[in-house]
Amino acid sequence: MTNAPNFWRSVFAALLLCILPAAAFAEGGYLDDVDDMPLMSGLSETGDSGIIFDKPGGRIVRAVAQGDVAPGKVEAFYVNVLPELGWKRIEELELIGGLLLFRREGERLEIQIVSLSGDAATRTEVRFSIAPE
C-alpha cells in the first residue's frame, strides 16, 4: 500500500515544478496593458507610446520599457520565456538585429530591443507591439 502523505507530497512537488518556472520569469511583473506579457526584472515601463485598442479582429497593444540591462540578456529572457506562454518564434522573419517575432492564436508579437548607450553602459529600450495577424 502506498504511503498517502508521501504520495501527496510528491504530487505537491510536481505541481510546484510546473508553477515555479512561471513565477520565476515574473520577477519584473507584467506589462500594464498585457496581463500575460512578462516584464523582465530590471525593466520598467516608460509610459511612452503605450496604446491598447481592442477591436473585433483582435487587440493592438504598444508598450515601451527601459532598464539597465544588456540587450543580449533581454533577448535571451524573451526567447526562453515566451514559448512557455504559447508564443512561437518566427526567426525566419527577423530580418534586423534586435528584433524578435512571435505568433500565438492569431496574434503577432514584435519585440524590438534597442541599446540606448554606445559605451560600456547597458541602458536598453524594449518596444513591444501586439497586433492581429
Side-chain angles (χ1 to χ4, degrees), residues 48-79:
D48 296 339
S49 303
I51 299 171
I52 185 162
F53 180 69
D54 281 317
K55 60 180 199 154
R59 62 185 173 168
I60 297 173
V61 179
R62 304 278 187 267
V64 178
Q66 289 185 3
D68 293 324
V69 293
K73 289 188 178 192
V74 174
E75 180 175 339
F77 175 81
Y78 286 104
V79 165

Side-chain angles (χ1 to χ4, degrees), residues 80-119:
N80 289 318
V81 166
L82 291 177
E84 293 181 33
L85 297 172
W87 291 98
K88 300 211 183 306
R89 189 171 176 197
I90 32 180
E91 283 184 80
E92 63 274 10
L93 298 180
E94 298 173 356
L95 301 178
I96 61 171
L99 179 66
L100 300 173
L101 298 173
F102 297 87
R103 284 189 181 122
R104 179 180 76 177
E105 300 174 6
E107 290 186 314
R108 179 176 166 145
L109 166 65
E110 295 181 12
I111 299 176
Q112 186 177 14
I113 304 165
V114 180
S115 175
L116 298 178
S117 51
D119 54 10

Side-chain angles (χ1 to χ4, degrees), residues 34-49:
V34 187
D35 59 0
D36 66 344
M37 180 58 60
L39 186 59
M40 179 183 174
S41 181
L43 294 175
S44 58
E45 285 190 77
T46 64
D48 296 339
S49 303

